[in-house]
Amino acid sequence: MSTVTLQPVDEDLLLRLLDVAVAEADPDEVMPPVPGPPGWTDERRAAFRDYLRSADDTTFAVIIDGEVVGAARIAPAEAPGAVETGIWLRRSARGKGHGTEALHLLVAEARARGTTAMIAETTASNVPAVGALRTLGAKLWEDPETGAVHATLRVGDSVGHGGGG
């Protein structure tokens, strides 16, 4: 069984994450949209670095058995005591339960910070993300017009244990 860990992103991990993203993810999967032609342009690479350096986010590298495979983040949300969260994994690491494990670790991190709720957004077509959120007991609702799925996960002593994998 693989071991999933989270490690706070420093400059070395940031560059490793960029390499992973360029090799095995689309820009829109790993950061907010950037105008311009598709693909990993110089502008998108710079925007990715800036996004991960954002002062109000805490970004972690997702590491599986010592190998960087993606990123997870928590950022202050508008609701008091809540954080927004997001996870992405390289294509070859998807569909193996690693995202659920990383989400469990993020719940523990948020709980340790005194957070009361985590908020996530994905799409109905992102079945693994919806499944991971459901596994942890998130309340989900879909916007039928856009296909966006909004999730709220209460962060308490009983949340984020069991399941996963």
Side-chain angles (χ1 to χ4, degrees):
M1 181 170 191
S2 298
T3 301
V4 178
T5 58
L6 299 180
Q7 184 173 337
V9 172
D10 59 16
E11 285 298 310
D12 175 61
L13 280 174
L14 186 144
L15 296 177
R16 290 168 61 193
L17 280 168
L18 177 58
D19 289 343
V20 169
V22 169
E24 288 198 61
D26 293 325
D28 290 341
E29 295 174 326
V30 302
M31 66 180 188
V34 174
W40 282 101
T41 62
D42 288 342
E43 291 80 10
R44 280 200 185 81
R45 290 170 194 246
F48 178 87
R49 289 188 297 268
D50 291 346
Y51 178 62
L52 291 189
R53 289 180 182 130
S54 176
D56 62 346
D57 288 5
T58 300
T59 303
F60 301 92
V62 177
I63 300 173
I64 300 173
D65 297 334
E67 187 176 348
V68 175
V69 299
R73 69 174 186 81
I74 53 177
E78 289 184 23
V83 294
E84 293 179 3
T85 188
I87 297 174
W88 66 266
L89 300 176
R90 69 181 188 197
R91 286 183 195 100
S92 62
R94 297 175 189 171
K96 301 174 184 175
H98 303 313
T100 300
E101 288 302 315
L103 191 54
H104 276 279
L105 295 170
L106 275 181
V107 167
E109 180 67 32
R111 184 181 303 118
R113 295 170 182 231
T115 299
T116 57
M118 293 176 72
I119 299 165
E121 188 169 314
T122 188
T123 61
S125 63
N126 190 343
V127 175
V130 171
L133 291 162
R134 204 171 264 132
T135 295
L136 268 71
K139 178 183 175 186
L140 304 173
W141 65 100
E142 181 181 346
D143 181 337
E145 291 183 19
T146 65
V149 174
H150 307 276
T152 301
L153 176 65
R154 297 262 176 237
V155 179
D157 291 337
S158 64
V159 176
H161 296 287

